[in-house]
Amino acid sequence: MLVADDYEAMSGAAAELVAGQLREKPDSVFLVPTGTTPLGMYRRLAAMHREEGVSFARATFFNLDEYLGLPADHPASYHAYMEENFYSRVDVDTARVHVPRGAAPEPEAECERYEAAIRDAGGADLCVLGIGRNGHIGFNEPGAPLSSRTRVVRLSESTREVNAVDFEGGLAPESAITVGMTTILESRTALLLASGANKAAAVAAAIDGKVSEAVPASALRRHGRATFIIERVAAWRLTRNTGV
Ligand code: F6R
């Protein structure tokens, strides 16, 4: 676990880790998050591309989740977020960029297709994650089975309220497509980022608490090759060094 002094330090360390993965294996497969936490990491990666020639052209990207029912061109969709904050700013091969299709006519079939695409790509080399205030990773909310694969899930009311800022007049959608816990845990390496004081309780539960399905992020402690990069203000409730 690394406690970063501030948001910029967290973002820089995360970007270095992603760039290191690419140096080691240019055709790496990544699972990637949206949200406010990774914005700085994406900004750094875009700068590394512009200024240092870091290339993403041979890499494959799978986003962790998307709201159910939202078309790709909806401004609050994770398609739109990724395009704006990362994919349009680097040299990704669009054929190797994947986001679950939230508006797919048959969501269950879309989940199966998505899971198969990750499998066919050889699984993820690095899974980058944020953490919800309730300990969720991807949209695997508290109680998500460790055995879960890509599927349609109902979002908790608290998640919908937190994410409401992205939606005009009201809550976020009721449901989403998310990559499952097993899919995440099968990634060869994982990186969880946490920023902001409002994540301190979730970070403490994930790192100091019991490993349990009630706190999905805690499962990463059983992974073996998971790194936690926590901004200092999100780390203040940690009471012991669990060696993660
Ligand atoms: C989003 C995702 C979520 C977020 C989490 C934290 O793709 O997978 O698990 O990482 O909700 O979101 P922020 O970073 O906005 O606090």
Side-chain angles (χ1 to χ4, degrees):
M1 181 179 73
L2 175 73
V3 177
D5 278 342
D6 56 22
Y7 182 75
E8 284 309 314
M10 180 201 76
S11 303
E16 281 302 332
L17 216 135
V18 171
Q21 173 66 42
L22 277 172
R23 267 193 300 276
E24 206 174 288
K25 187 179 175 208
D27 60 350
S28 289
V29 176
F30 294 90
L31 290 175
V32 288
T34 59
T36 54
T37 310
L39 284 172
M41 177 190 76
Y42 290 132
R43 215 165 32 238
R44 291 287 187 111
L45 288 171
M48 285 173 162
H49 170 64
R50 271 193 323 272
E51 292 156 19
E52 298 162 33
V54 172
S55 175
F56 301 84
R58 293 177 57 199
T60 300
F61 294 90
F62 289 93
N63 267 88
L64 285 161
D65 40 25
E66 177 61 286
Y67 292 110
L68 192 69
L70 240 51
D73 60 0
H74 189 289
S77 77
Y78 288 166
H79 279 84
Y81 169 106
M82 288 306 293
E83 197 52 33
E84 180 181 341
N85 294 299
F86 186 51
Y87 295 144
S88 68
R89 296 174 190 266
V90 295
D91 61 343
V92 286
D93 174 353
T94 51
R96 282 199 274 266
V97 162
H98 309 268
V99 184
R101 290 189 297 229
E106 292 181 46
E108 308 298 340
E110 172 65 6
C111 294
E112 276 175 36
R113 184 195 69 79
Y114 204 72
E115 184 72 35
I118 296 171
R119 192 171 53 242
D120 292 349
D125 293 294
L126 173 59
C127 174
V128 185
L129 298 155
I131 179 170
R133 293 182 209 183
N134 61 4
H136 72 216
I137 50 176
F139 274 141
N140 294 285
E141 298 278 33
L146 285 178
S147 59
S148 54
R149 297 272 177 192
T150 305
R151 67 204 186 289
V152 173
V153 291
R154 281 187 77 79
L155 298 176
S156 70
E157 287 308 304
S158 63
T159 297
R160 293 179 69 204
E161 277 163 27
V162 170
N163 292 5
V165 289
D166 296 327
F167 292 87
E168 273 175 30
L171 290 171
E174 280 178 10
S175 304
I177 292 176
T178 186
V179 165
M181 290 299 293
T182 294
T183 326
I184 289 172
L185 295 169
E186 280 176 355
S187 304
R188 286 180 275 288
T189 58
L191 167 62
L192 182 129
L193 305 177
S195 67
N198 57 21
K199 297 292 172 64
V203 165
I207 295 179
D208 277 352
K210 251 187 16 202
V211 173
S212 133
E213 286 178 350
V215 183
S218 68
L220 294 167
R221 286 177 20 224
R222 293 273 160 81
H223 183 278
R225 294 197 63 202
T227 303
F228 295 69
I229 305 182
I230 315 292
E231 187 193 358
R232 192 167 300 283
V233 291
W236 71 273
R237 281 178 181 237
L238 290 174
T239 52
R240 59 193 166 98
N241 184 347
T242 49
V244 291

